[in-house]
């Protein structure tokens, strides 16, 4: 690490994460992301892991939005006093 970065940390009083901690977190992300986890090779760059993580989170957001829309449609087509409507409302 450069002395400039070291001085900067000491002066700002900000606690930084170590390179080992970053590597550990990237490894944990790698295990969570299906696109990477299912690959044959264990060697994946940290940037690729972060890129795939962002893509995965975007896809999850889209799925949540789609499911919310579908639930809203179901609720609109269901008797509002029914038990089924109560379940759908609890999911929204």
């Amino acid at each position: 690490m450069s002395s400039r970065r070291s001085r900067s940390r000491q002066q700002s009083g900000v606690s930084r994460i170590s390179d080992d901690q970053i590597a550990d977190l990237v490894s944990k992300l790698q295990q969570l992301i299906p696109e990477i986890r299912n690959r044959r090779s264990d060697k994946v760059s940290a940037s690729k892991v972060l890129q795939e993580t962002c893509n995965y989170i975007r896809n999850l957001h889209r799925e949540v939005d789609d499911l919310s829309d579908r639930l809203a449609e179901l609720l609109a087509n269901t008797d509002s006093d029914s038990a089924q409507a109560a379940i759908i409302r609890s999911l929204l």
Side-chain angles (χ1 to χ4, degrees), residues 21-64:
Q21 289 171 314
I22 291 172
D24 184 50
L25 291 170
V26 168
S27 176
K28 287 177 182 177
L29 277 175
Q30 189 173 351
Q31 296 304 311
L32 293 172
I33 308 302
E35 178 70 24
I36 299 171
R37 185 180 58 225
N38 296 334
R39 289 192 182 155
R40 302 264 186 244
S41 172
D42 288 336
K43 284 286 191 180
V44 180
S45 71
S47 64
K48 184 68 174 172
V49 170
L50 293 174
Q51 183 179 26
E52 290 296 334
T53 300
C54 290
N55 292 338
Y56 185 64
I57 291 170
R58 274 190 218 101
N59 287 335
L60 289 175
H61 278 284
R62 273 190 229 114
E63 284 184 42
V64 167

Side-chain angles (χ1 to χ4, degrees), residues 4-27:
R4 184 183 313 160
R5 282 177 61 192
S6 180
R7 274 195 309 263
S8 163
R9 284 186 194 171
Q10 292 169 353
Q11 291 170 354
S12 67
V14 174
S15 174
R16 301 281 179 158
I17 190 166
S18 72
D19 290 344
D20 288 341
Q21 289 171 314
I22 291 172
D24 184 50
L25 291 170
V26 168
S27 176

